[in-house]
Amino acid sequence: MREVVAEFERPVMLYSVGKDSAVMLHLARKAFFPGRPPFPLLHVDTTWKFRDMYAFRDRMAVESGMELLIHRNPEALARRINPFDHGSSLHTDLWKTQGLRQALDMHRFDAAFGGARRDEEKSRAKERIFSFRSAGHRWDPKNQRPELWNLYNTRRAPGETVRVFPISNWTELDVWQYIQLEAIPIPSLYLAAERPVVSRGGTLIMVDDDRMPLAPGETPELRSVRFRTLGCYPLTGAVESQADTLTAVIGEMLLARTSERQGRMIDHDQAASMEKKKQEGYF
Amino acid sequence: MADATDLPGVPALGDIDAYLEAHRHKSLLRFITCGSVDDGKSTLIGRLLFDSKMIFEDQLAALASDSRRLGTQGQEIDFALLVDGLAAEREQGITIDVAYRFFTTEKRKFIVADTPGHEQYTRNMVTGASTADLAVLLVDARKGILTQTRRHAFLAGLLGIRHLVLAVNKMDLVDWEQDRFDAIVADFAGFGARIGLSAAMAIPMSGLRGDNVTHPGDAAPWYRGPTLLAHLEEVAIDHSGMAERPFRMPVQWVNRPDPSFRGFSGLISAGAVRPGDTIRALPSGRDAIVTRIVTADGDLPSARAGQSVTLTLDREIDISRGDLLADQSRPAPVADQFEATIVWMADEPLLVSRSYWLKLGTRLVPATVTELRHQINVNTLEHLAAKTLQLNAIAICNVALDQPVPFDPYEENRDTGGFILIDRLSNGTVAAGMIRFALRRSENVRWQSLDVDKAARALMNNQVPRVAWFTGFSGAGKSTIANLVEKRLHSLGRRTYILDGDNIRHGLNKDLGFTAGDRVENIRRVAEVARLMVDAGLIVLVSFISPFRAERRLARERLEPGEFVEVFVDTPLADAEKRDVKGLYAKARSGALRNFTGIDSPYERPEHPEIHVDTTREAPDAAAERIVAWLLADAPAAADGNRSPRYTSETGRDPTASGTDEVEGDAP
C-alpha cells in the first residue's frame, strides 16, 4: 500500500463493506500509522445492498477519519435498474462494472486498491498484485507484467490505471483468522441471526426491505441464517447456520463443502464469467 | 466426497480455537512446479488440491461437467481443468501464465505457483521462482530430461532456490520400471552437478492416479522414499536465516503526518533492529540511532526480517524513499557499476547502451547494460559471445547506473540484490537481474575537473554551442539541408562541424554493421562525440538516420537542456525511395542489403521534434534558414557585425513561432 501511495498520484481504496474490505481498511490504517491513510475510500453503490451494510459503512468512515466517496451510476439510477426486472447480469454490469469505471474516470484515480484474493476463483489465481488496465479499463490476461520478488513496476502511460490487490495471497481462512486476532469490526450479517428469508431456486434470499416483490403465496419465514459473502441482498444467498460467534463461523467454514463465491449468483451466469467481467473492467 | 471427519487437520467443532492456534504457527512453504508442456503439472496440482480436500463441492460439480465437455480423460475427472483458469488456455490446453494456488495440511501451509512449460513463456517461470523456496521439476517418464527440464533446473538454481524435487511423472505409462527411473535420475544428476545444484530429491509418481503424490503407491515396491506431499511437509526451509544477516530495510515511505513525527517505513529484508541500534542510511552514508519501532499496535522492542515497521531516528538526516537503512558496522556496498546475471523477458531484444529504468528495492534509476560478457546456453552451459539478447536469453553483463546505489549480492539477499529493467517507452518489465558484485572500475575512474570549461570556450567562440540532430529516412535530404545550414552558419562567422552518418562509418564506426545493436552503438558514439564538440564550444550538425527514439533520447540526455535540437526531415518513404541517390533502396528491395531502415528495419518517428521539416511542402533552402534562426536565436551578436538582423532576438526563444506558417506540426 505504501508502494502505491509513493508511486501514484491519485490512489483510492475500493470499499465494498465486506470482510475483505474490512481487512484492507484495517491494513491501510496500520500501514500509515500514526498518519491517516492518504487516500479516500470509494463505495460503488447499487442502492440494493443490505441496510446493515450502509449503516456499517457510514460508521467505519467516521471511525477511520477517511473521506468516503459514494458513487451510484446515474444511468442505472434513472432507469431504476434492479435485479428483479432486469436480471442479475444487467444489474451488475450497469451498477458495478460501469459504475466503477465512471467513478474512476470522474475522480481521475490512477490506482485502486481491491480486496480480491487468488484463492477465490480460477481467473483470479492468475491475477497480478499490480494489475494493469488500459485507458478503457480493460484487463488483458495475456499482456501482464511479470512480478518478481517484491518488485512492482509501476510505470504507466497517461490514462492507464492499475488495480492493486494487497491481500492476493491470503486465503479465506487467513482473512477470518486475521479478523479474529485483530478484532476487526465486520457487519453483523456475517454472524447467524433470525432473518426473514424466502427460498428461490434453492437459494435463500433475505427480504431486507419492501422493494422485493414476492411471488403469489410466497411468505418470508424467519430462519437462523448468515452470509458468507455480502453483495446486493437480492443476489446474495444466505446459508442456514447457528454460528453466531466468529469462532463458530470459522468452524463452519472449515467444514464447509461449498466454496465462498457459491452464494454469488453473478458467477454462474456464463462460462468463464468472472474472467469476462474482468476484461470489461469489473474487479 | 469424504465426510468431514476425514478432513486432514479439521477437528470437531469444539476444538476450533486449538485448530486456529495450530494453523497460526504452521510454517509456509512456497514452491513452484515446472517442466515441459504436457508433463502433467496442472494435473499434479489438481491432485494435490483434491487429495488435501481443498476442492469444494460446487467446484467439483463444475469440474465434473467441464471434464466431460473439455477434458481429456473421458468420463474421469480431469484435474488439470481445475487449475487452468483462463478461457484462452482452456482452448489451447496449455497454461500460459503463473497461477497461484493455496492448500493446507496438518503440518504446513502451501502456496504453489504453477508455471508454464511452453518455451515462449519462460519469463513466467522466473517470476514464479523468484518467490519460491522449492521447485518441483516434472519429468515425463517416457521422455526423460528435456531441454526445458534443464532450462528450468538452471533457472531455479539461478534464482537461488536451494531445494529441488525431481518428480518423475507418468510412471504408470512405463509400467513403473525402475531402470527407466534410475536412468532419468542419473541423467539429471550429471546436469545438476555441472550447474552446482545440490542433490535433488527424486520421486517416481503418477499425478493422474495419485501414486506417490499424497499416498504411497504399491505399484513401485522398489521405491521406499517419501511421497511428494510428505517431502513438501518435512523439508527444512530456512526462513530464519535472513534474520541472522546484517540489518537491511529499503525505505518505502517517509511517514510524516504532522511536523512532530518523522518516521521511515519499510519491510525489513534482512537482520533485526532494536531501539538504540546505530544504522547507516545509504547511499548518503550518514549514521543515526534508532529511537522507536512504531506500529499501530504499539512500539516494539525489536523487529526482524519479514516485518513491516516504521522507524524513528535520534537526529534529522536526509533520508528519502529508495534509500537503504543498514547495519552501521556491516553496511551494504554502494556502487554505480556492477556485474549481474540477467534474464531477458521481452520480445524486443536487449540493446547494449540503451537506457532502461532499473528498479532495485524501492529505488528507480536510469541504467544501461554497458557490456555483454557472455550469454549462457542453458542446455550445454556454454558461454557464447552475444551482442544482443532475445526473449528468454540469459547472460552475464555489466550494468552502469547514473548514480551510485546500495545493494547486496543476490546470493546474500534476494531483496537487495534482485532488480528489474523497465523499458522507458513501453514501460514493460523487460528483464530480471541478479547482482553478482560491484565493478571496481567505478571507484577508480574519477572525473578530472578542468579550469577552462564549456562556458569559457563558448564565450571565446562567441556563440551558444548546440547540436542540431537531423533524423529521417536515407535519402530524405538530411545531408543536403545540414550542408546548407553549415554554409550559412559559416558565412555568419560561426564555428561548426558536421557529423555525417556515411562519413563517420568510414572511420570511427567502421567496425559497426547495421543490426539493431550496432545501430545503438553507432548513435551512442556519435552522441558522445557531439557532446565533446559542444563542450569544445562548437555548433554541431549531426546527420544520421537514427531510427530509434530511445537512442535519440539518449543523445538528448547526454546534453544540457536546450542544447539538443531535434530536426525531423520528414519525407514519405516513397519519395525517398524514388530519389534513391545512392541506389540503396534498390539494393534493399532486391535483398542485397539487409536491415535497411524503412524496408526491413523500422523507423520510429519523432514525437516532439524541435523542428519538423516536411519536405513535400518546404524547400531545403527555406528549411535551412529556419534551422539557422533557431540555432542562433539566443546567440550573442556577431563580433564582426555582419550578422543579419533578422536572426537577432533578445528575448525570443522560439524563432520558429513567426515566419514559418508554411509548416505544420512543429512541436511546442
Side-chain angles (χ1 to χ4, degrees):
Chain A
M1 291 190 190
R2 296 169 182 157
E3 202 67 14
V4 170
V5 168
E7 299 217 355
F8 289 82
E9 283 158 31
R10 295 181 63 82
V12 65
M13 176 170 282
L14 298 179
Y15 186 70
S16 72
V17 206
K19 65 181 189 308
D20 298 314
S21 286
V23 166
M24 295 272 296
L25 175 58
H26 188 77
L27 288 172
R29 294 171 74 179
K30 288 180 83 155
F32 296 96
F33 179 89
R36 198 177 283 167
F39 43 79
L41 300 171
L42 170 66
H43 181 218
V44 179
D45 189 20
T46 66
T47 71
W48 287 94
K49 304 291 178 190
F50 293 89
R51 283 172 302 165
D52 267 9
M53 289 171 71
Y54 292 115
F56 182 83
R57 174 194 74 190
D58 296 339
R59 196 187 104 209
M60 290 314 293
V62 172
E63 237 174 63
S64 68
M66 291 164 71
E67 185 188 0
L68 172 69
L69 305 168
I70 297 167
H71 182 81
R72 297 184 193 96
N73 181 352
E75 188 197 341
L77 204 58
R79 289 172 57 188
R80 299 171 164 277
I81 298 296
N82 66 73
F84 306 112
D85 302 329
H86 304 96
S88 72
S89 194
L90 182 72
H91 172 81
T92 305
D93 180 61
L94 276 180
W95 282 114
K96 294 174 84 172
T97 309
Q98 303 302 330
L100 174 62
R101 292 169 58 154
Q102 287 168 355
L104 295 180
D105 288 343
M106 191 170 84
H107 296 283
R108 286 180 292 112
F109 291 122
D110 54 1
F113 293 104
R117 304 188 318 269
R118 285 170 174 158
D119 76 331
E120 279 180 86
E121 201 268 343
K122 273 197 284 192
S123 92
R124 284 195 168 159
K126 314 205 167 184
E127 181 65 279
R128 301 290 194 241
I129 291 175
F130 279 69
S131 176
F132 276 79
R133 305 298 163 101
S134 67
H137 298 288
R138 286 187 73 92
W139 181 62
D140 178 0
K142 283 193 178 171
N143 188 22
Q144 293 197 79
R145 295 173 178 177
E147 289 182 346
L148 292 120
W149 301 292
N150 53 11
L151 291 177
Y152 301 104
N153 172 1
T154 57
R155 308 274 313 165
R156 67 216 174 268
E160 285 177 352
T161 57
V162 62
R163 311 279 168 91
V164 188
F165 305 107
I167 60 170
S168 262
N169 281 338
W170 293 38
T171 62
E172 189 182 8
L173 178 58
D174 293 335
V175 168
W176 280 116
Q177 182 148 35
Y178 191 69
I179 287 170
Q180 191 187 40
L181 283 172
E182 300 270 315
I184 300 170
I186 51 168
S188 59
L189 294 159
Y190 283 112
L191 302 179
E194 297 271 314
R195 297 188 173 99
V197 294
V198 294
S199 174
R200 290 191 176 172
T203 306
L204 292 177
I205 301 294
M206 176 172 161
V207 184
D208 195 45
D209 56 41
D210 53 18
R211 288 181 298 174
M212 178 153 164
L214 295 174
E218 197 177 45
T219 31
E221 52 179 321
L222 279 181
R223 289 211 219 168
S224 179
V225 294
R226 64 181 176 87
F227 296 87
R228 300 186 59 190
T229 158
L230 295 181
C232 296
Y233 80 80
L235 295 175
T236 306
V239 291
E240 287 202 77
S241 166
Q242 304 295 328
D244 55 1
T245 65
L246 264 184
T247 307
V249 168
I250 295 171
E252 285 195 357
M253 192 211 86
L254 290 172
L255 297 172
R257 307 296 345 125
T258 51
S259 70
E260 181 183 9
R261 291 199 73 85
Q262 197 240 6
R264 294 261 176 125
M265 301 172 87
I266 59 171
D267 287 356
H268 299 293
D269 285 354
Q270 47 190 295
S273 63
M274 175 66 88
E275 188 180 340
K276 192 159 167 294
K277 285 195 189 70
K278 283 178 58 157
Q279 291 188 15
E280 288 160 2
Y282 183 65
F283 249 68
Chain B
M1 200 67 210
D3 284 330
T5 46
D6 289 349
L7 293 175
V10 178
L13 261 172
D15 296 330
I16 300 299
D17 286 327
Y19 174 83
L20 288 177
E21 189 62 15
H23 184 74
R24 242 180 105 187
H25 294 109
K26 280 180 198 168
S27 59
L28 171 70
L29 177 75
R30 294 187 67 142
F31 69 97
I32 57 168
T33 55
C34 40
S36 224
V37 180
D38 295 334
D39 281 353
K41 291 183 307 297
S42 295
T43 305
L44 178 75
I45 295 172
R47 169 65 67 181
L48 282 171
L49 295 176
F50 180 78
D51 284 358
S52 60
K53 310 291 189 289
M54 296 306 286
I55 299 173
F56 295 115
E57 271 168 12
D58 57 333
Q59 290 175 333
L60 200 63
L63 179 64
S65 82
D66 281 1
S67 292
R68 280 190 292 277
R69 201 155 47 87
L70 301 161
T72 53
Q73 302 302 323
Q75 291 299 307
E76 297 283 307
I77 285 175
D78 185 349
F79 291 110
L81 290 177
L82 189 68
V83 186
D84 291 348
L86 302 184
E89 73 192 60
R90 275 195 184 185
E91 284 150 26
Q92 292 171 24
I94 52 165
T95 319
I96 53 171
D97 209 332
V98 188
Y100 297 91
R101 292 278 150 191
F102 306 81
F103 67 96
T104 304
T105 67
E106 281 175 24
K107 293 177 180 154
R108 263 195 183 147
K109 295 192 263 193
F110 298 93
I111 299 180
V112 49
D114 181 16
T115 61
H118 203 290
E119 179 145 16
Q120 67 189 341
Y121 296 110
T122 290
R123 64 175 205 168
N124 294 320
M125 142 99 203
V126 173
T127 305
S130 72
T131 51
D133 309 304
L134 178 147
V136 175
L137 205 54
L138 273 124
V139 179
D140 185 327
R142 296 168 302 174
K143 298 183 196 155
I145 308 292
L146 299 177
T147 302
Q148 281 291 307
T149 323
R150 291 197 195 92
R151 175 187 289 273
H152 291 164
F154 177 76
L155 286 173
L158 198 65
L159 283 146
I161 296 178
R162 287 188 220 137
H163 303 285
L164 211 62
V165 177
L166 191 68
V168 182
N169 195 22
K170 307 195 181 182
M171 281 299 288
D172 50 321
L173 300 181
V174 296
D175 297 326
W176 295 91
E177 276 175 32
Q178 185 173 7
D179 289 351
R180 184 73 197 131
F181 176 74
D182 289 346
I184 290 170
V185 172
D187 187 10
F188 185 78
F191 179 77
R194 288 166 64 200
I195 58 174
L197 277 178
S198 54
M201 178 79 197
I203 304 173
M205 65 178 65
S206 165
L208 199 59
R209 293 157 39 104
D211 302 82
N212 285 338
V213 177
T214 50
H215 60 87
D218 45 15
W222 44 268
Y223 176 75
R224 293 197 178 76
T227 63
L228 176 62
L229 189 62
H231 180 66
L232 295 176
E233 285 180 327
E234 298 296 337
V235 64
I237 38 171
D238 182 29
H239 288 310
S240 58
M242 286 315 291
E244 311 305 320
R245 295 181 182 270
F247 174 70
R248 300 283 185 266
M249 186 183 97
V251 175
Q252 204 179 14
W253 171 254
V254 179
N255 193 342
R256 41 187 340 172
D258 59 68
S260 67
F261 185 89
R262 184 160 182 261
F264 305 97
S265 307
L267 173 67
I268 301 175
S269 87
V273 65
R274 280 175 194 76
D277 286 357
T278 303
I279 53 101
R280 177 163 296 176
L282 296 169
S284 75
R286 292 175 192 278
D287 295 344
I289 295 168
V290 176
T291 47
R292 292 170 60 196
I293 303 171
V294 180
T295 78
D297 303 316
D299 286 8
L300 300 178
S302 71
R304 56 194 300 206
Q307 283 180 283
S308 262
V309 294
T310 298
L311 304 179
T312 60
L313 304 176
D314 69 330
R315 71 202 79 170
E316 288 262 329
I317 58 175
D318 187 27
I319 298 175
S320 47
R321 173 176 162 82
D323 288 355
L324 182 72
L325 302 185
D327 183 338
Q328 180 231 15
S329 60
R330 290 175 297 172
V334 174
D336 61 1
Q337 291 188 49
F338 45 73
E339 184 177 304
T341 309
I342 60 173
V343 181
W344 194 252
M345 302 177 131
D347 291 324
E348 262 207 14
L350 163 89
L351 296 180
V352 171
S353 304
R354 176 170 282 189
S355 178
Y356 298 96
W357 288 111
L358 180 146
K359 189 165 190 189
L360 171 65
T362 50
R363 182 178 285 264
L364 189 71
V365 292
T368 54
V369 172
T370 52
E371 187 184 345
L372 278 172
R373 302 179 79 93
H374 59 260
Q375 190 177 341
I376 299 168
N377 179 324
V378 292
N379 307 321
T380 60
L381 304 180
E382 271 178 313
H383 291 183
L384 309 169
K387 284 190 162 180
T388 177
L389 294 181
Q390 306 294 333
L391 180 64
N392 293 329
I394 299 164
I396 308 284
C397 62
N398 291 352
V399 179
L401 312 178
D402 80 343
Q403 56 186 271
V405 300
F407 70 95
D408 288 298
Y410 182 77
E411 276 192 350
E412 290 172 23
N413 188 328
R414 282 184 181 187
D415 295 328
T416 52
F419 62 86
I420 54 174
L421 292 179
I422 300 169
D423 187 277
R424 296 182 66 151
L425 279 181
S426 73
N427 290 326
T429 301
V430 292
M434 288 142 282
I435 299 177
R436 291 156 64 91
F437 48 79
L439 291 171
R440 291 287 159 238
R441 79 171 82 148
S442 59
E443 288 163 27
N444 295 335
V445 181
R446 296 240 180 267
W447 188 256
Q448 185 70 42
S449 62
L450 304 165
D451 290 333
V452 178
D453 62 7
K454 176 160 64 180
R457 287 185 287 262
L459 199 62
M460 174 83 84
N461 284 346
N462 193 32
Q463 62 190 23
V464 179
R466 29 173 78 98
V467 173
W469 190 285
F470 295 77
T471 172
F473 286 122
S474 174
K478 298 184 299 297
S479 297
T480 306
I481 298 173
N483 190 37
L484 288 170
V485 170
E486 184 169 41
K487 269 167 51 184
R488 179 72 188 153
L489 287 171
H490 192 75
S491 73
L492 294 170
R494 305 298 171 176
R495 288 160 211 256
T496 60
Y497 196 83
I498 288 189
L499 293 170
D500 180 84
D502 288 338
N503 297 352
I504 297 289
R505 279 187 179 276
H506 280 102
L508 177 64
N509 289 355
K510 72 176 172 190
D511 56 326
L512 299 177
F514 290 89
T515 61
D518 279 359
R519 284 177 188 271
V520 174
E521 176 60 14
N522 186 34
I523 299 304
R524 188 194 69 82
R525 290 186 196 172
V526 170
E528 287 296 339
V529 171
R531 190 180 66 83
L532 288 174
M533 289 184 164
V534 165
D535 202 49
L538 303 184
I539 294 174
V540 190
L541 309 174
V542 177
S543 174
F544 270 66
I545 300 172
S546 43
F548 302 134
R549 279 188 204 120
E551 279 62 62
R552 294 193 298 264
R553 184 173 50 212
L554 177 139
R556 184 185 291 271
E557 287 176 358
R558 297 301 292 152
L559 295 159
E560 287 175 28
E563 284 181 349
F564 184 90
V565 180
E566 189 170 20
V567 181
F568 178 25
V569 184
D570 188 2
T571 300
L573 181 63
D575 286 9
E577 190 167 355
K578 211 183 304 163
R579 225 174 285 157
D580 205 5
V581 195
K582 301 167 195 161
L584 296 174
Y585 283 96
K587 277 193 192 172
R589 287 288 182 201
S590 72
L593 189 59
R594 297 199 45 207
N595 295 319
F596 194 74
T597 299
I599 308 297
D600 56 348
S601 184
Y603 180 80
E604 297 170 359
R605 292 170 64 88
E607 285 170 330
H608 304 293
E610 276 79 2
I611 300 176
H612 185 158
V613 179
D614 179 346
T615 61
T616 62
R617 306 175 65 170
E618 189 178 22
D621 281 329
E625 284 293 300
R626 198 152 63 88
I627 295 161
V628 168
W630 183 298
L631 293 173
L632 298 183
D634 50 1
D640 58 7
N642 72 357
R643 191 164 175 233
S644 160
R646 71 177 276 214
Y647 299 122
T648 311
S649 161
E650 300 297 7
T651 54
R653 287 286 304 170
D654 184 3
T656 59
S658 60
T660 59
D661 299 337
E662 73 275 20
V663 174
E664 294 171 357
D666 279 4

